[in-house]
Amino acid sequence: MYHSSDPRAALAAKPAAAAAPVTAYGACEYVRFYDEQPVAGPEGKTWYARGQNFLIAITDPVAGAVLARDAQPDEYAVILDDPKIEVEIVTENGAQVVKGGSLAFLPPGKSSVKVIQPGRIVRMFTTQSSDLAAKCINAAAYKDPKPAVAPARQWPMPKDGLKLRVYSLDVPPEPGRFGRIWRCTTLMVNYIDPRQGPRDPTTLSPHHHDDFEQGSLALEGEFLHHIRWPWVPNKHIWRDDQHELCGSPSIAVIPPPSVHTTEAVGKGLNQLVDLFCPPRMDFSLKPGWVLNADDYPMPEQK
């Protein structure tokens, strides 16, 4: 499955008995934002897309724009990958200026992101934000729940409570650690180490997840998403392999239990961000992988 050079090869395998029998497959979602019409407003242009438990909003804002949440039900994330952007994030506990190259987790309740210097803003929410879920380009694909996706359960509260937390994305690679991972009570963000040029096609790492979707958000470059659904006794649910080329920005929402691997193919910078809701336990159990593990406790292990 994983190539020997992939740090995920060290993840503990989940016992086969834990996986429920497959009776149906969900489709993979591919949303190429550059081919879609945005939702336009005074704050700029925003594109929305979703998985079963999470959604993202990519905004191309104007200076002075305010992205407000007046009654946000749970924590959400703001990714400021654009180095030139500068924003002021306001929560019920105060205000903080945040520059590009940052990830922020915002608490429930009233909050806003005011644009000082424009640049791309990526926000990630759970689908408890039903007003935003309704705006998603692929909303119709989730009129009925996708099979095999477990319900999202919130993780434990931090000891010092929910508040604005800001982290720098500028974290150097470390041998044995996979990407740059942060979590909150609702979400997990893995800002994959950037790749210059195509990935070596002899080092791909096809793998599957038993009961959760993976959102693979392409921010720079081009990627081939290779998807294969395992054969099961019921031939009626078999699906053809997929090899989908997606530029940036785009998102592929990869369903369980499909076998998948993503291959960077762009000639320049290729930047992928993997998104999960709720946070992944297997990643969280690896010492040193979750960079803000001291801020957010894990659920108790049974």
Side-chain angles (χ1 to χ4, degrees):
M1 298 288 279
Y2 293 112
H3 188 267
S4 59
S5 64
D6 191 318
R8 291 172 294 178
L11 291 173
K14 190 173 182 179
V22 177
T23 58
Y25 286 137
C28 192
E29 299 292 316
Y30 305 101
V31 180
R32 299 167 175 87
F33 298 108
Y34 48 87
D35 285 339
E36 301 288 346
Q37 290 298 312
V39 176
E43 72 280 357
K45 300 175 181 178
T46 302
W47 294 258
Y48 298 89
R50 65 170 290 178
Q52 186 146 303
N53 294 329
F54 67 88
L55 67 90
I56 64 164
I58 298 182
T59 301
D60 181 10
V62 299
V66 177
L67 307 179
R69 299 296 293 161
D70 292 330
Q72 176 61 28
D74 49 17
E75 275 192 294
Y76 68 103
V78 175
I79 303 172
L80 303 173
D81 66 297
D82 192 327
K84 68 178 182 294
I85 193 172
E86 184 175 338
V87 303
E88 181 186 49
I89 299 179
V90 179
T91 69
E92 295 174 356
N93 295 321
Q96 181 175 339
V97 173
V98 181
K99 295 188 176 182
S102 300
L103 165 70
F105 291 126
L106 279 65
K110 188 173 183 178
S111 63
S112 64
V113 179
K114 181 178 180 180
V115 177
I116 301 171
Q117 293 292 334
R120 179 170 58 195
I121 298 174
V122 178
R123 290 173 294 159
M124 182 182 180
F125 302 85
T126 76
T127 48
Q128 293 300 306
S129 295
S130 56
D131 60 320
L132 303 182
K135 298 179 180 180
C136 289
I137 293 164
N138 62 332
Y142 290 90
K143 182 180 179 181
D144 297 314
K146 294 284 183 82
V149 180
R153 291 183 172 85
Q154 188 165 292
W155 280 33
M157 295 290 180
K159 292 181 180 179
D160 57 349
L162 296 175
K163 61 183 181 180
L164 174 63
R165 300 176 193 270
V166 179
Y167 306 97
S168 172
L169 296 173
D170 186 15
V171 178
E174 183 178 303
R177 191 191 73 219
F178 180 54
R180 292 164 283 177
I181 303 173
W182 295 268
R183 68 171 184 249
C184 66
T185 59
T186 54
L187 309 167
M188 176 173 275
V189 175
N190 185 4
Y191 206 82
I192 305 292
D193 295 326
R195 182 181 298 274
Q196 195 67 36
R199 183 176 180 176
D200 180 352
T202 69
T203 63
L204 303 183
S205 291
H207 62 285
H208 83 282
H209 309 135
D210 286 332
D211 59 3
F212 60 87
E213 291 177 317
Q214 172 178 314
S216 288
L217 174 65
L219 293 178
E220 302 288 346
E222 293 182 308
F223 296 87
L224 265 176
H225 299 288
H226 303 286
I227 313 292
R228 169 168 289 180
W229 284 265
W231 285 3
V232 292
N234 182 1
K235 179 182 176 182
H236 295 295
I237 69 169
W238 291 2
R239 289 175 174 265
D240 292 337
D241 290 353
Q242 294 182 348
H243 305 278
E244 289 281 334
L245 177 65
C246 292
S248 55
S250 65
I251 189 168
V253 183
I254 302 168
S258 63
V259 178
H260 60 274
T261 189
T262 295
E263 178 185 2
V265 295
K267 294 180 179 179
L269 176 65
N270 295 289
Q271 178 65 68
L272 196 70
V273 184
D274 283 345
L275 309 172
F276 304 98
C277 177
R280 286 182 62 162
M281 181 60 73
D282 55 351
F283 282 5
S284 296
L285 288 172
K286 295 293 291 182
W289 277 31
V290 178
L291 298 171
N292 67 337
D294 291 342
D295 292 340
Y296 288 95
M298 289 194 300
E300 292 185 5
Q301 296 295 290
K302 295 181 181 179

